[in-house]
Amino acid sequence: MIPNKMKAVLLTGHGGIEKLDYRDDVAVPIPAAGEVLIEVRAAGVNNTDINTRIGWYSKAVTEDTEAGGAEGYNCIDDNDASWSGVPLSFPRIQGADVCGYIVAVGDGVNPNRIGERVIVRNMLRTYVDYRPYECWTIGSECDGGFAQYCKAPSGETHAVDCTLSDAELAAIPCAYSTAEGMLHRANLVAETVLITGASGGVGSAAVQLAKRRGANVIALCSSSKADAVRALGADHVLDRNADIVSALGMGSVDVVVDLVAGPNWPQLLDVLRRGGRYATAGAIAGPICEIDIRTLYLKDLTLYGCTFQEDIVFENLVKYIENNEIRPRVAKTYPLSDIANAQEDFLAKRHTGQLVLLPPKV
C-alpha cells in the first residue's frame, strides 16, 4: 500500500544548510502518463545539490564552492542561481541520484515494470522533448531523490541487474554520468589523461572509467588520499598543490579532465600536448580563471564544457554496471534525516568516493 504522505527533505530557498527542512508530511507524488513512481532506497550527495542550494551557479558568485557551502552567499541573484539559468521553484526536493524500486506506473507504462530495481538518468530529456543541449536535472528542475518516493519518466528510468548494493547504485547516476560524459566528449582512448579532484565522487568515477578505456591515468588529490585513489586504478598520483608543469613537463598529457579550476588552472593547458583536449564539468576551487589565448591557439587545443550528455552515456553506464566493469566507492551512508551532517562532511572533503543518504523504508 502506497501512503499519501512521505518523509522528505524540502529545500525552502537558496542559502545555508538551514534551508533544508526534513518533513514527514510531504505528499507522495502521483505518476503522470509515461512516468513511474519509485520507492527510493538510496540517494547520493553531489556537488550539484550543494551548488543549487547555495545558488553558486549565479554569475554574481566568483568564489569557490566551499566559501558558501554551509552558510550560502549574500550576493546571489535568484534569477540565475540554478545550473540551467532558469529560476528555481521552491519548495524543491533535491537529490540528483535515485536508486529504488518501481511501485506504481502512470498511463501508457507497462505495469510489468512494477518491482524493478532502477536508477534514474539524472539529466532528463523527456521534459524538453529531447532537444539538443537541453535537459532538466532531477532534484533541480523537478523533485528528486531526497525522499521516500520520487517520480520519473519511464523511458529514463533504467532497470539494473547487478550485485551492487542500493547505496553503491545510488553513487552512480550523477557522478559517473558526469565523468563518462567528459570522457565521451573528449573521446578518450588509450592515452595519458590528467584528472583533477580525483578523490571526489566525479573524480573517482573518472579514474575508474578512464582506466576502463585503457588510459594512463594521472590523478590530482590530497596526499592523504593518494593510496585510496591508486586503489581505484590511478597509475600516478600527484598532490593537488603540486607544481604540475614541473612534475609532468610541458606538453606531456593528451587529455585533461578538470573538476577544480581555480588559480592553478593555466597549468592544465600548459601540460597539454599540441592538439590536446580539455574537458570540464566543475570548478570547486573557483570559477574565474585566467587564460592566455596564445596557449589555446598556438597549441591547437580543444576545450569542452560538459553538462549535456548524449543518450549513449547513461545507456553505457548501465552496461558497465551489469558487466561488473565499474564499482563505486561509498565512503559513508547516513539516514535521510541526517542530511545536514552529510553535506557538512561532503564539504569537509575528508572522504574518498561518495556519501549516500538512506531514506527510511516504508
Side-chain angles (χ1 to χ4, degrees), residues 7-281:
K7 297 178 174 66
V9 177
L10 299 183
L11 177 66
T12 59
H14 293 298
I17 289 176
E18 78 282 352
K19 294 292 186 179
L20 298 170
D21 186 14
Y22 182 74
R23 303 279 294 272
D24 62 3
D25 60 349
V26 178
V28 172
I30 298 172
E35 294 181 333
V36 297
L37 179 66
I38 301 160
E39 182 184 328
V40 181
R41 292 295 179 85
V45 178
N46 293 284
N47 266 314
T48 189
D49 303 313
I50 294 171
N51 291 347
T52 297
R53 168 172 60 75
I54 63 180
W56 181 81
Y57 296 112
S58 173
K59 296 294 187 183
V61 177
T62 59
E63 299 171 277
D64 61 61
T65 56
E66 292 183 31
E71 294 83 21
Y73 299 99
N74 296 321
C75 61
I76 72 164
D77 180 350
D78 286 345
N79 291 319
D80 73 342
S82 72
W83 75 268
S84 66
V86 176
L88 221 61
S89 298
F90 299 107
R92 171 65 70 221
I93 298 172
Q94 291 189 279
D97 286 329
V98 178
C99 169
Y101 290 81
I102 294 177
V103 293
V105 299
D107 290 344
V109 180
N110 189 334
N112 290 336
R113 295 212 65 184
I114 293 174
E116 291 179 356
R117 187 164 76 138
V118 296
I119 55 176
V120 179
R121 177 180 178 173
N122 54 299
M123 307 296 283
L124 300 172
R125 301 189 64 199
T126 297
Y127 299 128
V128 294
D129 297 324
Y130 281 77
R131 292 187 295 270
Y133 295 102
E134 290 189 44
C135 50
W136 284 11
T137 295
I138 190 166
S140 178
E141 284 63 49
C142 58
D143 287 339
F146 293 166
Q148 289 179 297
Y149 291 94
C150 174
K151 68 175 185 175
S154 176
E156 299 184 274
T157 300
H158 295 257
V160 183
D161 181 13
C162 69
T163 60
L164 297 182
S165 68
D166 293 334
E168 288 173 318
L169 264 184
I172 287 176
C174 183
Y176 278 74
S177 69
T178 300
E180 180 71 5
M182 287 190 285
L183 303 183
H184 176 80
R185 191 78 66 85
N187 193 28
L188 179 72
V189 290
E191 303 169 284
T192 296
V193 59
L194 173 64
I195 299 172
T196 68
S199 63
V202 179
S204 62
V207 170
Q208 293 181 62
L209 290 165
K211 287 305 297 180
R212 184 199 161 275
R213 290 168 176 252
N216 174 46
V217 175
I218 304 170
L220 284 180
C221 66
S222 65
S223 296
S224 63
K225 300 173 184 175
D227 288 342
V229 172
R230 285 191 190 94
L232 293 171
D235 298 286
H236 309 280
V237 180
L238 294 178
D239 184 82
R240 64 183 180 184
N241 296 315
D243 185 315
I244 304 170
V245 174
S246 295
L248 300 178
M250 298 284 284
S252 56
V253 172
D254 299 297
V255 176
V256 168
V257 170
D258 183 28
L259 303 157
V260 175
N264 292 327
W265 187 81
Q267 291 193 69
L268 300 178
L269 301 193
D270 289 337
V271 297
L272 277 171
R273 65 164 172 80
R274 293 184 182 276
R277 292 100 71 202
Y278 166 93
T280 182

Side-chain angles (χ1 to χ4, degrees), residues 249-312:
M250 298 284 284
S252 56
V253 172
D254 299 297
V255 176
V256 168
V257 170
D258 183 28
L259 303 157
V260 175
N264 292 327
W265 187 81
Q267 291 193 69
L268 300 178
L269 301 193
D270 289 337
V271 297
L272 277 171
R273 65 164 172 80
R274 293 184 182 276
R277 292 100 71 202
Y278 166 93
T280 182
I284 61 174
I288 308 302
C289 301
E290 184 177 86
I291 182 173
D292 186 333
I293 293 296
R294 292 167 296 187
T295 302
L296 176 62
Y297 77 78
L298 290 174
K299 293 177 67 174
D300 287 294
L301 303 180
T302 303
L303 309 186
Y304 294 99
C306 304
T307 293
F308 176 81
Q309 298 163 10
E310 299 289 349
D311 296 355
I312 192 66

